[in-house]
Each structure stands twice: as C-alpha cells, then as structure tokens.
Amino acid sequence: MRWKKRLAALAGVLIVFLCLLGAWYFGHYTRTPDYALQQVEKSLTKQDVAMFSEYVDIDGLLNASYDDFMSGILETGQPMNDEAQAAVESFAQMVRAPLVKSFHQAIVDYVATGAWPDDSENGDASGLFDAESALEKAGLKGTSLRGIDRVEKSSQEETAAAFVRVYSEEAGEEFVLRVRLAPGENGRYRIVAIENLRDFLVMIGKARRAQLTEYLDRTAAIIAAHESAMREAEGQRADILAAGTLGSADTRAKLKQLMEETVIPDWEARGEELRAVDVAPAAATLQKIRLKICDCYIAYAKGYAQWMDDKQAATIREAENQLRQAKALEQEEKFLARRVTQDP
C-alpha cells in the first residue's frame, strides 16, 4: 500500500508540474519573440496565410519599409541630379498606396504557394504599380532564409530585435536583417519592421553593378576583335564595288562570297563567343540585345547574298529591314552599356 501512496504522490507532483508548465507555455512563452518567429517559420512551411498574418503585421511592415525600399532602389540605380531625385521620390509617394496593396497580395500569394508571382493581375501595363516588377528591380526574388542568429529584447521597451540571416542568390552573399517585433493587441509578438532593409538592397545593387562591369570587361575583347574584322570586311566590300558594278556577274559573285565566307561566319562566331560567357542576371538584358544584333546581321548578310543571285526587290528590302533593326539595337546596347559603367 505504501508504494501506491508514493505513486499517487508522484503522479500528483507530475500533474502540478504539467499544469505549471502549461501555464508558463500559454501565459508566457507564447507571448515571446522567439515563439512568434517559430510560428512565422511554421506558417511558411505549412503555407498557412492565417497563421502568418497573426504573427506578421503585413501592412504595418510594408508601410514601415516602403521608404527604405524605394531609397535602396534609387541609390543603386542610374545617377540623378537633385531635381530628378526629388521628382522620382515624389512619384514614389504618389504610387505608395497601390504598390503597398500589390505587395500585400504578393506576400499573401508567396505564403500560400511558396513562390513569388510571375506577373500581377493588379498591376497596370506600365508595371509601375505591381509588386512583381518592383521585386525584380530590388533583387528580392532570389532571396532565401538561412536562419535566425539571435533575438534581443529591449530592457527599456517591449520591442525585440531578431537578427535573421538571408542569402541573396543574385549577390552571392549572406546578409543579416534586423527584424523588429512588438506585442500586438493580444499580447503576442508580431513582426512590424525590417530596420536595415535599405542596406540590404544597396548590397544587392552594388553586387549587380560589379557583375555588370565584369560582364562588360569580359565581352569587350570579343566585341573589339569582331568589330575590327567587320571594318575590314566593309573595306573589302567597298573595294569590290569600286572595281565593278552590281550589274556584273563577277562583282555579285565576289560580294556573295564575302558575305558567305567572311561576314556570316564572323557574326556567328561572335554570337557563339558571347553565349560562352557566364551572364549574371543583371546583365541578361544587355546579353539578349547583343545576341539579337548578331542574329539581325546574320539575317542581313544571308539576304544580301541571296539578292546577289535572285535580284529580287523583296529580298533586298527584307535584308535592309534586318540591317535597320541591327542598327537600332546597337543604339540601345550602347545606352545600356553606358548606364552600367556610370558610378552610383
């Protein structure tokens, strides 16, 4: 009988302990920053929007971060004078409400699906009011969570700071975000701000600029060598035309041979060499334009060579159309290349 009394006493102690543990858990631990961060992580894993919204003040976070977000993008963008800077900042405030709304929906979609939207149903055709283009500009789409280093609670205030490690795929670096949490109306902590978002965006922007500069340096030699070859080919074409006329079969044969044996292979080689270069995401547009220029010049040279045989007006018109496209794209290429070589 004595062992039964001891067992009953032990059971009573365990029950009291569990009650105290439960009271501590529901009365204290669930109202800590650590618990809030655990719930945020769990909501992302479970793709639970309701849980995420309970522990993240989405609208408050967006409004608190908006100015830093825009400032970070502007600082790493194209240099502007004070007047232009003021105009852009004014416009940024004009589109604040629709952009915050678009961001809210993008975050909800991300939590629910685990992926950022590819486009925005709420955006307009200009792309100014949708989150997708803004995320792309900021370089946030390739950012992933790595872990939480530590949580610090203020001794004077109820707020807390979580130091969250994230990895930027575009920059190829980790960054520690300082995430601020504060108690909500129910006493449970919620994420309300990211205090160093601007610094994170500046880091991505500088990495982009460095990648673009590296791309330009690596492709400069390729382009210079082929430009030299094309200047020589143009000189040969001028010499052929000066020595004969387009009505001459011999002249036309020489021009066709020049296009097929020199011009076309050279532009094809340029395209292959450019494709062999590693292209950072920030250089994708410039690379695409350069490859399109190659394609246009190849199409022009093939059309010109064909015209030497068929003498059809439609053939040379199409060839000249390809040449005009190439010239227009070259102007766009120069503009983009000039932008990325300017200091921020």
Side-chain angles (χ1 to χ4, degrees), residues 25 47 88 107 248 270 281 289 317 326:
Y25 181 82
Q47 297 183 345
V88 172
I107 290 172
S248 166
R270 184 192 299 215
I289 288 175
R317 278 200 301 269

Coordinates of all heavy atoms in Angstrom, one line a residue, residues 25 47 88 107 248 270 281 289 317 326:
Y25 N 3.7 28.0 -20.6 CA 3.7 28.0 -22.0 C 2.7 28.9 -22.6 O 3.0 29.7 -23.5 CB 3.5 26.5 -22.5 CG 3.5 26.4 -24.0 CD1 4.7 26.3 -24.7 CD2 2.3 26.4 -24.7 CE1 4.7 26.2 -26.1 CE2 2.3 26.3 -26.1 CZ 3.5 26.2 -26.8 OH 3.5 26.1 -28.1
Q47 N 2.4 26.7 -45.3 CA 1.7 27.6 -46.3 C 0.4 28.1 -45.7 O -0.7 28.1 -46.4 CB 1.5 26.9 -47.6 CG 2.8 26.6 -48.3 CD 2.7 26.0 -49.7 OE1 1.6 25.6 -50.1 NE2 3.8 26.0 -50.4
V88 N 11.6 61.8 -58.7 CA 11.3 60.4 -58.5 C 10.8 60.1 -57.1 O 9.9 59.2 -57.0 CB 12.6 59.6 -58.8 CG1 12.5 58.1 -58.5 CG2 13.1 59.8 -60.3
I107 N 2.8 39.0 -51.1 CA 3.2 38.3 -49.9 C 2.3 37.2 -49.5 O 2.7 36.1 -49.2 CB 3.4 39.3 -48.7 CG1 4.6 40.2 -49.0 CG2 3.6 38.6 -47.4 CD1 4.8 41.3 -48.0
S248 N 27.4 43.5 -112.8 CA 28.4 42.5 -113.3 C 28.2 41.2 -112.5 O 28.1 41.2 -111.2 CB 29.8 43.1 -113.1 OG 30.7 42.0 -113.2
R270 N 30.9 35.5 -83.3 CA 30.7 36.4 -82.2 C 29.6 36.0 -81.3 O 29.7 36.0 -80.1 CB 30.3 37.8 -82.8 CG 30.2 38.9 -81.7 CD 29.6 40.2 -82.2 NE 30.3 40.8 -83.2 CZ 30.4 42.2 -83.4 NH1 29.8 43.0 -82.5 NH2 31.1 42.7 -84.3
P281 N 22.4 37.7 -63.8 CA 21.0 38.1 -64.0 C 20.9 39.6 -64.4 O 20.1 40.0 -65.3 CB 20.3 37.8 -62.7 CG 21.1 36.7 -62.1 CD 22.5 36.9 -62.5
I289 N 20.2 41.6 -76.0 CA 20.3 42.6 -77.1 C 21.4 42.3 -78.0 O 21.3 42.3 -79.3 CB 20.3 44.0 -76.6 CG1 19.0 44.4 -76.0 CG2 20.8 45.0 -77.7 CD1 19.0 45.8 -75.3
R317 N 14.9 44.3 -99.7 CA 14.1 45.1 -98.7 C 14.1 44.4 -97.4 O 14.3 45.0 -96.3 CB 12.6 45.2 -99.2 CG 12.4 46.4 -100.2 CD 11.0 46.8 -100.3 NE 10.1 45.7 -100.7 CZ 9.8 45.4 -101.9 NH1 10.3 46.1 -102.9 NH2 9.0 44.4 -102.2
A326 N 19.2 45.9 -86.6 CA 20.5 45.8 -86.0 C 21.1 47.1 -85.6 O 21.6 47.3 -84.4 CB 21.5 45.1 -87.0

